[in-house]
Amino acid sequence: MPEDAFHDEADKQAHESRNFALRGRLPTAARKNGLVRWQSGGSLTLPLMEAQQTYEVVARGGGTGPQLHVTGAKLGEMTLATSRGPATVPAWLFTVDGYDTPLKRAAVRPSEPPTPPIEPFAEGSSATLQALRQLVGTARDGRSVTVAAAHGACDDGPAVDVLETGGSVVLSASVVGTKNGPCTGQLLSERLTVKLDRPLGDRVLLDAFTGRPAAYGRT
């Protein structure tokens, strides 16, 4: 659900904190597996998650404060940004009381990540390099990717550098303008769009900190 689609600030807060309450029965999947299809070609069959399992992943709020009420669900599809580019995946479309637009969540379990082609970041070798929070999306023409990167309250924000090869695109997230002295312990997030020299295609997006494919969604 887009951020500008909420009726009021309380509903937006409930969505951001994932504070949902189930007010109906959820269906079971009619089949055991689902097909993931990449726009660049290729597909993968993965086990389907039941609606109840997917809902339990979505509803992680503490139960206090504003809530959104989920009244049902049906199996459909959605497009996700992945480390191999955009893909169409099976999704549970949750009905939210008071809204025409469903809450979409992928209904397949992610496959085990491959062996990283690069080494993970060595702790202590740099004070600013850090893991990406998530992969947000890929431009339609494949010439840029949008990621969410973390930073603190006492710096000038995050930065993301890119190193492109024939088979991968390595993203290195860091914070800039770090200040010494006392600082609050806030963890902030900012979206950054990284331009590529050529379309992403089927190259793998890698996080330099972990050495693994950049994760879509919450990490």
Side-chain angles (χ1 to χ4, degrees):
M1 299 174 68
E3 290 188 0
D4 58 357
F6 297 107
H7 297 328
D8 51 39
E9 190 64 28
D11 283 1
K12 181 179 178 181
Q13 181 182 339
H15 180 267
E16 291 177 344
S17 61
R18 297 198 283 177
N19 202 5
F20 297 95
L22 185 59
R23 293 292 185 267
R25 298 186 63 180
L26 298 178
T28 57
R31 58 185 191 273
K32 292 184 177 181
N33 296 316
L35 187 67
V36 177
R37 305 186 307 276
W38 278 272
Q39 289 184 10
S40 59
S43 61
L44 179 66
T45 299
L46 292 173
L48 273 178
M49 293 177 64
E50 294 288 355
Q52 183 66 40
Q53 293 174 301
T54 308
Y55 170 78
E56 290 171 359
V57 173
V58 171
R60 292 293 183 88
T64 59
Q67 286 187 327
L68 288 170
H69 296 160
V70 173
T71 58
K74 66 178 181 179
L75 194 60
E77 291 184 336
M78 66 183 296
T79 300
L80 290 181
T82 77
S83 57
R84 289 173 53 184
T88 300
V89 304
W92 285 108
L93 312 182
F94 292 99
T95 305
V96 179
D97 188 28
Y99 290 89
D100 295 328
T101 303
L103 177 70
K104 299 180 181 181
R105 287 297 183 269
V108 289
R109 299 183 184 278
S111 56
E112 288 296 322
T115 301
I118 61 175
E119 291 294 325
F121 163 70
E123 293 288 351
S125 62
S126 169
T128 58
L129 190 66
Q130 59 185 352
L132 290 168
R133 295 205 73 185
Q134 68 181 85
L135 169 63
V136 176
T138 305
R140 288 185 178 274
D141 61 5
R143 289 189 172 273
S144 66
V145 295
T146 300
V147 297
H151 68 102
C154 294
D155 56 55
D156 295 328
V160 178
D161 294 323
V162 59
L163 174 64
E164 299 186 49
T165 70
S168 64
V169 174
V170 183
L171 302 175
S172 302
S174 60
V175 292
V176 294
T178 331
K179 301 172 184 176
N180 295 324
C183 182
T184 59
Q186 292 171 276
L187 180 63
L188 306 175
S189 181
E190 184 175 330
R191 291 187 178 187
L192 299 175
T193 296
V194 182
K195 294 184 177 180
L196 305 179
D197 291 336
R198 60 187 177 87
L200 177 63
D202 59 359
R203 293 183 294 170
V204 179
L205 271 173
L206 298 170
D207 181 349
F209 188 92
T210 62
R212 293 187 175 277
Y216 175 82
R218 296 175 184 267
T219 58

